[in-house]
Amino acid sequence: MLTKPGLTALLLIAFTVQSLAQPFFSREQVIADIDDLYLSIDEIHPDMFYEYPKRRFERDIRRIKQNLPERLDLAEVYNQLLPLVANLNDGHTGLSYKPDQFGITKHLYLPLKIRIDKNDYSWRVEMDLSEQDHKIPAGAHILSVNSRPAEEITANLIRYVSGEKESFKIAVLNNGLRTNQLLYIRYREPQFDIEYTFDGQRFSTTLH
């Protein structure tokens, strides 16, 4: 079972697994942890529902519980709960996690260091970290990843980041490791079909 949230004075909530050898959790286990999460937020943090009314928070919790499958791995637990907590729009409240909790290898990461524009959500390559011979050049404009426009991916991932201001959330996403963790949690895809432009020309490549 997931352990109960660890709380600091700022209510930084951290779920940790007791053993990485047990990557799956039952629906009942996750529901019990959601209840613990709700009580922790409701009882400890003052005025937590200023921007996200309590009745909406409780409604969304009910919806999550109703739609849970019988068995979930840890990444799917975070896929359900990160947007819920991020809706609070509080810079001191979030779910903390470590990449080794998910058993992620580097081969499941998008091997690009990118810079997301805070105004239009577009992606520019800062460095291609892949092992392929023909690398995507720095400054290239990423159009899509696995047929999803980069701007759409940004809009999706922002929903997973806790914070009060969107500029802060974009700054978090511009930490490459965090972006890769969230890409894995949200999409769970082992390869990346990339469309990009550089010097006025359009290219496509596949990264692993």
Side-chain angles (χ1 to χ4, degrees):
M1 181 175 181
L2 298 174
T3 63
K4 291 185 178 180
L7 299 172
T8 70
L10 299 179
L11 192 63
L12 179 63
I13 305 163
F15 282 102
T16 57
V17 293
Q18 293 177 354
S19 170
L20 291 178
Q22 186 187 2
F24 290 95
F25 306 95
S26 70
R27 184 175 185 271
E28 291 73 22
Q29 286 176 314
V30 176
I31 286 175
D33 284 303
I34 291 174
D35 290 339
D36 283 341
L37 174 66
Y38 171 76
L39 290 174
S40 298
I41 290 174
D42 189 38
E43 294 177 359
I44 296 177
H45 204 295
D47 200 23
M48 178 51 67
F49 302 103
Y50 177 75
E51 291 196 36
Y52 186 36
K54 189 175 181 180
R55 65 181 181 277
R56 288 181 54 197
F57 189 74
E58 292 174 341
R59 179 201 65 192
D60 289 344
I61 285 178
R62 289 194 298 271
R63 176 184 52 79
I64 289 172
K65 288 181 178 179
Q66 290 169 359
N67 293 322
L68 287 175
E70 289 301 314
R71 203 169 73 135
L72 300 82
D73 64 12
L74 188 61
E76 181 57 30
V77 174
Y78 278 94
N79 189 38
Q80 296 289 334
L81 296 186
L82 282 170
L84 175 73
V85 176
N87 277 339
L88 295 169
N89 286 328
D90 183 81
H92 303 311
T93 305
L95 291 177
S96 137
Y97 52 88
K98 298 178 181 179
D100 58 4
Q101 288 179 260
F102 309 118
I104 304 174
T105 69
K106 67 177 183 178
H107 301 294
L108 295 179
Y109 278 160
L110 174 67
L112 295 175
K113 184 177 181 183
I114 60 170
R115 176 63 50 178
I116 300 173
D117 188 282
K118 66 180 181 180
N119 296 311
D120 62 11
Y121 292 1
S122 62
W123 292 16
R124 294 282 177 180
V125 175
E126 291 191 333
M127 185 180 299
D128 185 337
L129 303 173
S130 71
E131 298 176 355
Q132 65 179 17
D133 293 331
H134 301 289
K135 295 185 180 295
I136 300 176
H141 175 206
I142 300 295
L143 300 175
S144 66
V145 180
N146 292 338
S147 300
R148 297 184 188 90
E151 295 81 2
E152 175 186 311
I153 296 174
T154 301
N156 268 317
L157 296 188
I158 283 175
R159 297 175 46 246
Y160 286 68
V161 180
S162 293
E164 297 174 9
K165 296 182 178 180
E166 186 170 290
S167 58
F168 171 80
K169 297 181 180 186
I170 293 291
V172 170
L173 290 178
N174 275 325
N175 175 331
L177 181 59
R178 179 60 59 86
T179 300
N180 270 312
Q181 292 165 353
L182 290 176
L183 279 170
Y184 177 78
I185 290 169
R186 175 65 179 84
Y187 297 111
R188 311 289 290 277
E189 292 169 332
Q191 76 173 34
F192 306 95
D193 296 325
I194 309 292
E195 298 282 341
Y196 68 96
T197 59
F198 185 72
D199 279 350
Q201 298 184 64
R202 186 168 181 139
F203 302 91
S204 62
T205 188
T206 297
L207 305 179
H208 300 274

